[in-house]
Amino acid sequence: MALGERGQRCSGYFRPGRPCDPLRRAPKNVEDEATGTPRVSTRIALRKVWKRTSVGHKRSVIALMLLGAALRAFLLFEPIAYDEAFAYHRFVTQPVAAIIGDYSHPGNHVLHTVLVKCCVWVFGTGLWQIRLPAFLAGVFALPLIYLFARAMFNRYIALMALALCAASGPLIEQSALSRGLSLTWVFF
């Protein structure tokens, strides 16, 4: 492990004169027009990180994300659980104002219930429509976990974290059931 500027440890390779954190290699900061504070162009920083990644690593990341999505999709059509049915009949069938104002049962994850109501309104009532928000949040959490681990550590640890999350039984199950737990992985 090499020491970068200001003595910080770098994982991976290090080129003299450049900071060792890949997300800090973004172009110069630009100022936000509203507040005047500097902000980093995340899109450009991620593009640079993606360019430096080998083809084999990219294929592994994409394969693991597809595997995680397939495992979650496989469970979408399992029979409905009691708490899913209860939450649907007790909360989703109510108006949105009643959903937001009623937290009499811990099975009412308010944001998730509102998203389920939107999916049922758009796509109709069915098993996959009820589970769609949790499924999408569970699938979307996979690249977020990879990017977080890549920013904090290195690409190998990020790949291991992605593999663990893609194949984790409890995470797969919670992503395929109509509960608001998978939304917490995305937002928190």
Side-chain angles (χ1 to χ4, degrees):
M1 202 163 315
L3 289 177
E5 293 177 359
R6 292 182 238 145
Q8 64 220 31
R9 293 201 177 271
C10 298
S11 57
Y13 65 93
F14 173 71
R15 288 189 238 163
R18 299 187 115 181
C20 63
D21 186 359
L23 293 180
R24 290 187 188 163
R25 290 184 189 174
K28 293 181 181 178
N29 292 344
V30 293
E31 288 191 7
D32 189 4
E33 294 82 19
T35 61
T37 59
R39 63 182 167 93
V40 176
S41 175
T42 307
R43 181 186 308 161
I44 294 172
L46 290 175
R47 192 177 303 146
K48 282 185 172 186
V49 168
W50 191 250
K51 280 183 184 178
R52 286 193 322 268
T53 305
S54 68
V55 175
H57 187 81
K58 289 178 190 175
R59 287 181 184 157
S60 299
V61 169
I62 291 171
L64 284 171
M65 286 186 195
L66 290 175
L67 174 71
L71 289 172
R72 285 155 175 78
F74 180 72
L75 291 180
L76 273 180
F77 299 100
E78 289 288 315
I80 196 159
Y82 171 77
D83 59 338
E84 292 176 294
F86 177 79
Y88 177 77
H89 285 293
R90 175 81 164 92
F91 300 110
V92 176
T93 56
Q94 303 297 323
V96 176
I99 294 171
I100 295 171
D102 183 13
Y103 196 69
S104 61
H105 191 271
N108 181 20
H109 303 128
V110 178
L111 176 61
H112 178 261
T113 307
V114 170
L115 292 174
V116 169
K117 183 162 186 74
C118 292
C119 287
V120 167
W121 181 71
V122 171
F123 300 114
T125 304
L127 194 55
W128 69 270
Q129 291 91 336
I130 293 171
R131 293 178 172 173
L132 186 63
F135 170 74
L136 292 177
V139 170
F140 187 63
L142 294 175
L144 291 178
I145 289 167
Y146 173 79
L147 291 173
F148 174 75
R150 173 107 188 217
M152 299 311 295
F153 303 105
N154 62 28
R155 65 183 183 162
Y156 304 110
I157 292 175
L159 192 64
M160 287 189 294
L162 177 62
L164 287 173
C165 292
S168 172
L171 295 180
I172 292 170
E173 182 181 13
Q174 294 302 322
S175 296
L177 295 177
S178 181
R179 296 183 184 125
L181 302 177
S182 59
L183 289 174
T184 60
W185 309 331
V186 174
F187 293 116
F188 300 107

